[in-house]
Amino acid sequence: MLLASAVVVWEWLNEHGRWRPYSPAVSHHIEAVVRAGPRAGGSVVLGQVDSRLAPYIIDLQSMNQFRQDTGTLRPVRRNYYDPSSAPGKGVVWEWENDNGSWTPYDMEVGITIQHAYEKQHPWIDLTSIGFSYIIDFNTMGQINRQTQRQRRIRRRLDLIYPMVTGTMPKAQSWPVNPGTATSPPAPPCSCPQCVLVMSVKAAVVNGSSGPLQAPGTRKNIAPSGVGKLPPPPGPGTKPLDTPGTMRGPGKTAPAQVTRRQVSNTPAGAMAGSPTSPQGSNRKPGRVALATLNRSNLQRLAIAQSRVLIASGVPTVPVKNLNGSSPVNPALAGITGILMSAAGLPVCLTRPPKLVLHPPPVSKSEIKSIPGVSNTSRKTTKKQAKKGKTPEEVLKKYLQKVRHPPDEDCTICMERLTAPSGYKGPQPTVKPDLVGKLSRCGHIYHIYCLVAMYNNGNKDGSLQCPTCKTIYGVKTGTQPPGKMEYHLIPHSLPGHPDCKTIRIIYSIPPGIQGPEHPNPGKSFSARGFPRHCYLPDSEKGRKVLKLLLVAWDRRLIFAIGTSSTTGESDTVIWNEVHHKTEFGSNLTGHGYPDANYLDNVLAELAAQGISEDSTAQEKD
């Protein structure tokens, strides 16, 4: 049983296994439908409260989010948090993503950040909850512990998430009120959707194969016709229909509806199923579709669509279950209609398939890339140049400031007119010396810059912590491996006029070196070889050449904690995004993506890699 009071946050599971919160407004909307019980229909249309979520519907019976235009299902849950935590106060913590918009943290992370903020801690390390980031409240920044990349964060106030009081079970099945299932059934629903569903149900029960009559012309269905529907099975009763089948007249057919049951939903329970004893004269409210076979679903669809077209309801196209050809336009919009009618997500489209790899390619079809030498490249550990101290390295990037301005050093947060506040290992320079970086002009304690350099890769380069300007040649800590690249005779979605550049990265597991987070400890390398794809266009080849520079500088991968699995001491991507889906874009790592090449060029530039870099590598 739960505590006497809690805040309710509705969350959905993304493709990386992380529970992402809906906004407070959306959670309030879902909670209102849940509290209304079966009378509300058992499904929640998210577009009613947030226009950006127009394609999405939540089926409360199966606890799934259903996307109508693709057929994608994602689990949802109703989670509970302390009223004194961030969601109970309407506090939302967000980070700035690459396109400048703001993304809320997972609820667990946001609560952790808010707790540290309320305790007036200057910063918090998120490693303990599986994220390799430090949150700095002084600069309102998020710092990647491996790459030192910084992002802006913000704290804003929103609606308080819905509150619940009293003792409630932890089960997340629907309806949440145990008494709802035994309450008297709702009056019969007379909306066109339910009338049509009931007519098809009656036709199936009576064995009728005749055409459906329009709602305005047919006679009322006798209660006994509907009364033949069995009640929901009680404890210990075998359900009449398993989630994977639908019963038609005289046979069992594969279901054309999505799966409805989850572990916390009673087997056989259906939203809107009649609750009166068998043979009762009471009419049910919303009718479920579990006993309809495909032909009856299509008859229902055609009749329902005629009603919608006549009433001016907009329709959307759907595809045939047996192929990609369009179905009769009368089926348009049926997905949303059937869900609305019965509280059940029904999908008349096949969900898109994840296409990670191209069709098989023979060795004779694989070609080298014009203008790019070789077809593979290995990398080994590069050691920092010997004989130069950190002070000597930084001297060529700095100008001494004799009269520093009265402002903060953004590294130690002490005034530049005062000595450095850095408390770590003591550099050999005086703590009150101040220097200005020659290109960007930002000013710091030299003491702080030397300490920052010592904590980094010590490769002879320096990156301004404020504007990210890079001095020298930045290198990373990528473990040894191999990069292969060649042409294959297939086109990427969105690039029909050119072939495809395939890149294959291979990195074996090994032992961490002195530049890695845990020297001497083994590291894993999951998912290798990793296949990535670029269009063989002028810009695609430009990206490839710069990726080769990034590979040589050990900037493509790093060793750290996986944001997907939470595993530590493993090989991870290092802030340069790659496309790993060949023929789809279901995860956001595929094509078509009109902005990808420009985005990855910007990411490479942030690592100090541009067209000038290719000339430097040749030199």
Side-chain angles (χ1 to χ4, degrees):
M1 305 300 285
L2 295 176
L3 297 175
S5 63
V7 286
V8 176
V9 178
W10 282 85
E11 301 168 323
W12 57 279
L13 188 68
N14 69 10
E15 64 273 14
H16 302 301
R18 301 292 306 179
W19 286 100
R20 303 287 297 136
Y22 290 103
S23 69
V26 173
S27 288
H28 274 280
H29 179 60
I30 301 171
E31 194 67 12
V33 176
V34 169
R35 292 175 180 176
R39 296 171 185 262
S43 61
V44 186
V45 181
L46 300 186
Q48 292 178 350
V49 67
D50 188 338
S51 59
R52 295 170 299 178
L53 303 181
Y56 299 98
I57 296 177
I58 290 179
D59 174 40
L60 295 173
Q61 182 67 29
S62 65
M63 293 294 281
N64 279 316
Q65 170 190 278
F66 176 71
R67 178 164 179 162
Q68 297 181 82
D69 52 353
T70 65
T72 303
L73 283 175
R74 295 191 186 277
V76 300
R77 72 179 183 183
R78 184 177 188 247
N79 215 355
Y80 305 93
Y81 295 95
D82 193 309
S84 64
S85 62
K89 297 178 179 179
V91 174
V92 179
W93 285 90
E94 299 174 320
W95 56 275
E96 187 179 31
N97 57 34
D98 291 337
N99 59 18
S101 58
W102 294 90
T103 302
Y105 284 98
D106 296 353
M107 193 54 65
E108 175 192 6
V109 179
I111 289 174
T112 303
I113 295 174
Q114 175 64 16
H115 181 72
Y117 179 84
E118 291 175 348
K119 296 290 185 181
Q120 297 184 342
H121 294 166
W123 54 270
I124 180 174
D125 189 341
L126 299 180
T127 305
S128 61
I129 58 174
F131 295 91
S132 185
Y133 296 103
I134 292 175
I135 302 298
D136 187 336
F137 295 117
N138 291 319
T139 61
M140 291 299 281
Q142 169 191 281
I143 305 168
N144 187 310
R145 289 172 57 89
Q146 273 73 48
T147 66
Q148 299 302 307
R149 180 175 179 178
Q150 295 189 25
R151 295 181 184 272
R152 291 196 300 163
I153 65 170
R154 71 178 184 182
R155 175 183 182 269
R156 66 176 180 85
L157 294 179
D158 203 328
L159 292 174
I160 295 175
Y161 278 89
M163 298 282 295
V164 291
T165 57
T167 56
M168 295 180 64
K170 290 184 179 180
Q172 296 173 11
S173 57
W174 182 88
V176 294
N177 184 356
T180 304
T182 58
S183 60
C189 180
S190 59
C191 71
Q193 291 95 333
C194 287
V195 168
L196 283 165
V197 173
M198 292 170 65
S199 70
V200 175
K201 294 285 289 185
V204 172
V205 171
N206 295 327
S208 169
S209 59
L212 287 171
Q213 296 178 344
T217 59
R218 65 182 178 85
K219 296 181 180 180
N220 291 334
I221 302 172
S224 59
V226 182
K228 295 180 181 180
L229 295 174
T237 304
K238 182 179 179 181
L240 295 178
D241 290 292
T242 62
T245 61
M246 293 187 300
R247 298 182 183 270
K251 67 177 181 178
T252 300
Q256 306 300 336
V257 297
T258 54
R259 294 172 58 189
R260 306 178 54 216
Q261 303 294 341
V262 290
S263 59
N264 54 12
T265 305
M270 296 183 296
S273 296
T275 56
S276 55
Q278 189 169 3
S280 169
N281 289 331
R282 289 183 180 268
K283 293 182 181 180
R286 298 267 178 178
V287 180
L289 303 177
T291 59
L292 296 187
N293 61 17
R294 181 179 172 184
S295 62
N296 284 316
L297 277 174
Q298 289 183 344
R299 290 166 57 207
L300 170 63
I302 293 170
Q304 178 62 61
S305 298
R306 289 172 181 162
V307 173
L308 291 176
I309 294 170
S311 62
V313 175
T315 57
V316 294
V318 291
K319 301 291 183 181
N320 196 321
L321 281 167
N322 292 328
S324 58
S325 60
V327 216
N328 190 310
L331 292 177
I334 188 59
T335 301
I337 302 311
L338 291 177
M339 286 192 64
S340 173
L344 174 68
V346 179
C347 177
L348 291 185
T349 64
R350 288 193 182 277
K353 294 182 179 179
L354 185 69
V355 182
L356 291 177
H357 302 294
V361 178
S362 65
K363 288 185 177 180
S364 61
E365 293 178 304
I366 296 176
K367 305 296 182 183
S368 59
I369 303 168
V372 181
S373 60
N374 303 317
T375 58
S376 66
R377 192 168 297 189
K378 292 184 179 181
T379 184
T380 56
K381 295 180 180 180
K382 290 185 178 180
Q383 301 297 328
K385 295 180 180 179
K386 303 294 184 180
K388 287 190 176 182
T389 65
E391 292 80 0
E392 291 173 328
V393 171
L394 298 184
K395 185 177 179 180
K396 57 185 178 180
Y397 306 138
L398 290 172
Q399 300 170 358
K400 286 188 178 181
V401 177
R402 298 185 182 276
H403 304 288
D406 187 22
E407 57 187 43
D408 287 343
C409 168
T410 56
I411 299 177
C412 69
M413 301 311 295
E414 295 290 344
R415 307 299 285 181
L416 290 169
T417 52
S420 168
Y422 177 71
K423 303 299 183 185
Q426 302 299 313
T428 58
V429 298
K430 295 180 179 179
D432 57 351
L433 290 180
V434 174
K436 179 173 73 173
L437 291 172
S438 58
R439 286 166 53 196
C440 64
H442 288 108
I443 302 174
Y444 306 94
H445 291 116
I446 298 178
Y447 194 85
C448 294
L449 287 173
V450 171
M452 185 180 74
Y453 181 85
N454 283 331
N455 288 330
N457 201 26
K458 302 178 190 175
D459 58 359
S461 71
L462 180 72
Q463 187 166 17
C464 174
T466 300
C467 66
K468 309 306 177 189
T469 299
I470 296 173
Y471 295 82
V473 177
K474 179 182 178 181
T475 62
T477 60
Q478 174 181 292
K482 183 179 181 181
M483 175 183 179
E484 301 174 75
Y485 41 95
H486 49 248
L487 282 181
I488 57 175
H490 299 290
S491 298
L492 293 165
H495 299 274
D497 300 328
C498 59
K499 297 179 181 179
T500 297
I501 298 171
R502 178 167 62 183
I503 303 170
I504 303 175
Y505 293 111
S506 300
I507 295 180
I511 304 298
Q512 299 182 50
E515 73 273 29
H516 294 136
N518 297 296
K521 186 177 180 180
S522 62
F523 67 86
S524 61
R526 311 292 184 194
F528 287 95
R530 298 187 185 183
H531 291 229
C532 308
Y533 304 95
L534 291 169
D536 183 34
S537 60
E538 180 180 354
K539 187 175 286 187
R541 293 185 189 182
K542 176 181 176 181
V543 169
L544 173 65
K545 292 176 181 178
L546 297 184
L547 287 175
L548 288 171
V549 175
W551 175 263
D552 290 338
R553 296 183 183 179
R554 303 173 66 197
L555 292 168
I556 300 291
F557 296 97
I559 295 177
T561 300
S562 170
S563 61
T564 304
T565 65
E567 181 183 10
S568 58
D569 297 305
T570 190
V571 179
I572 59 174
W573 292 106
N574 184 35
E575 305 292 342
V576 178
H577 287 84
H578 285 64
K579 293 295 189 181
T580 54
E581 286 182 66
F582 175 81
S584 58
N585 195 16
L586 300 187
T587 65
H589 303 305
Y591 295 92
D593 185 341
N595 299 320
Y596 169 66
L597 296 178
D598 291 326
N599 290 341
V600 75
L601 287 173
E603 291 172 346
L604 288 164
Q607 300 285 348
I609 299 174
S610 61
E611 289 186 86
D612 296 336
S613 304
T614 56
Q616 292 175 10
E617 293 295 311
K618 290 179 182 178
D619 295 340

